[in-house]
Amino acid sequence: MKRIALLRERATTGSAGSTGSHCPASGQWSPEGEPHLVRTFFEGHVFPSHNGAATVWRRQYLAPESR
């Protein structure tokens, strides 16, 4: 039960991280201002710079599929 609760918490928090900080949750991430560029980072990975400069990484969420 605790594990499910933690997963829900991670889904709503930790949606951004900056260069040099640790990734708060595994998933798809994009540098700020470039949502089309998507990279996969795993929890605990250190966010890299982008184009040689420090940046903020934003988590990308999958849109629900319409039926």
Side-chain angles (χ1 to χ4, degrees):
M1 293 295 236
K2 287 183 181 181
R3 186 171 186 86
I4 293 171
L6 287 175
L7 290 175
R8 285 187 190 140
E9 181 180 329
R10 286 182 187 161
T12 58
T13 61
S15 61
S18 58
T19 296
S21 67
H22 292 271
C23 180
S26 298
Q28 303 291 314
W29 295 79
S30 296
E32 192 167 64
E34 295 190 51
H36 61 279
L37 178 67
V38 179
R39 292 190 53 191
T40 301
F41 294 112
F42 296 99
E43 184 176 346
H45 183 91
V46 176
F47 287 118
S49 61
H50 176 63
N51 290 335
T55 190
V56 173
W57 291 88
R58 302 264 176 214
R59 186 158 185 209
Q60 300 296 313
Y61 295 95
L62 296 174
E65 293 182 26
S66 59
R67 294 182 185 192

